[in-house]
Amino acid sequence: MKPCIIYLAQNTKKDQQYGRDSRSMLVKSLNLLYKNYNNQFGHDIIIFHEGDFDLKSQEEVISGRKEITFETIQFSLPDFLNPSEIPDKWDGLFGMGYRHMMRFYSLTIFNVLKNKGYDWFMRMDDDSFIHSKIEYNIFDFMAKNEYKYGYRALIKEPEKTSHGFSEMVLAYIKAEGIKPYTFLENFDSSIQLNKDAFSFKGKIKRKILSVMDSISTKLNHDLNNWPEPNEWNRWTFYTNFLVTHVDFWLRPDVQSFLHYFDRVAGGYKYRWGDHILQTATTQIFLPESKVHKFNDWTYEHATIKNGKLEWGGIYAGVGDEENPAVLEFKKKYGKVKIKNSY
């Protein structure tokens, strides 16, 4: 096993998207990551950037931590797209850099890491903060339990940034004759079932999910009986933290699906995020027993605008509700997370 932790970062005190101090947030994220996890396990950490971290800045961020390296990447529109069809800003807010980022995490990252010899990776954003000790090796845990994808939180995507997405997914799997594992179950109230299932632990949980996987291959997959696209519940993985096995994403069937959406250019034209595409991909091509929700440590990822919590929040680990970071966050913003997340 050769795992790594990755960031895509900016060396700025005021990023173009949200006007926040990305450099300081990256340093905070790394400090917490080392304090609560990586001091013990020493995983490689790759910080991808567009050339804005010079050697001095890199040394300041690395701060003697030999596991950290910087990797320069160059973003551009794919050659098959017509630039005149791509707005400079989607909805006047999401610039080209943000949409390049979505394509990077939706498609290109997997080959980049495979070519470097990595078979597992954990994604962190510069504003991803781990607030409690993780005493076990996350990658060993995933491999031992035969998980292929892990996440920390779920969030409900707004209609505006997912308009047309479920229709496109349904069209693809129907045309290709694919029987998805759990994607079709997310056109009803079954998200509650999925949420409850994650409350089980160890062998009992895996046994129950294994039975559910077996049933799901027989039910709800009638290729002539499709849900209405507007019934999609829009619950998606909050992908500012994730851990996954690279080879899953390089499977021919998964690659065909990802490249199909790449050609559609949904990220550039419609702001379909990497998180909704990753969610659909795992629900189509992975049984539920291969997907794990971490809930035993406290995690923060929040969008703050004008001093108010606009998106995300802080997610307390089980039994960690009195964590000082949780209490401070609630005191400052009046709540721990937005309504449509858990």
Side-chain angles (χ1 to χ4, degrees), residues 14-47:
K14 189 175 183 180
D15 73 58
Q16 293 183 352
Q17 192 62 52
Y18 296 108
R20 59 194 178 191
D21 187 344
S22 296
R23 166 72 178 269
S24 296
M25 296 178 96
L26 172 64
V27 170
K28 177 181 177 180
S29 177
L30 286 167
N31 289 343
L32 286 168
L33 175 65
Y34 269 87
K35 174 185 176 182
N36 291 315
Y37 182 71
N38 213 43
N39 276 333
Q40 182 174 353
F41 298 105
H43 299 310
D44 290 351
I45 297 175
I46 306 173
I47 300 176

Side-chain angles (χ1 to χ4, degrees), residues 66-127:
K66 65 182 185 303
E67 299 86 3
I68 301 176
T69 59
F70 281 77
E71 181 81 16
T72 304
I73 53 174
Q74 293 183 335
F75 289 140
S76 61
L77 282 176
D79 292 339
F80 56 79
L81 294 184
N82 182 349
S84 67
E85 297 179 358
I86 309 301
D88 290 335
K89 286 191 175 183
W90 185 87
D91 198 33
L93 176 62
F94 295 96
M96 199 66 74
Y98 189 91
R99 286 171 288 160
H100 285 323
M101 174 274 293
M102 295 193 299
R103 184 173 189 257
F104 178 70
Y105 282 128
S106 296
L107 181 69
T108 59
I109 185 60
F110 311 114
N111 276 310
V112 168
L113 294 180
K114 185 69 173 181
N115 290 338
K116 290 180 174 294
Y118 293 106
D119 51 4
W120 287 87
F121 75 91
M122 178 196 303
R123 171 185 167 179
M124 294 279 286
D125 281 3
D126 55 17
D127 52 349

Side-chain angles (χ1 to χ4, degrees), residues 152-221:
R152 181 61 188 85
L154 287 164
I155 201 154
K156 191 166 186 175
E157 183 70 2
E159 291 184 18
K160 190 171 187 177
T161 51
S162 58
H163 182 71
F165 177 76
S166 62
E167 290 91 334
M168 192 68 71
V169 176
L170 290 174
Y172 181 88
I173 60 179
K174 187 170 185 178
E176 296 294 324
I178 295 171
K179 292 186 177 183
Y181 280 100
T182 60
F183 181 73
L184 298 183
E185 296 172 11
N186 290 287
F187 287 80
D188 52 34
S189 60
S190 63
I191 190 67
Q192 184 64 41
L193 173 64
N194 294 340
K195 180 181 179 182
D196 292 343
F198 284 117
S199 66
F200 295 98
K201 295 183 178 180
K203 293 181 180 179
I204 296 176
K205 169 187 167 182
R206 292 194 294 276
K207 179 64 176 177
I208 291 173
L209 291 182
S210 178
V211 172
M212 292 170 62
D213 293 340
S214 178
I215 293 173
S216 72
T217 62
K218 300 176 182 178
L219 300 177
N220 303 320
H221 293 155

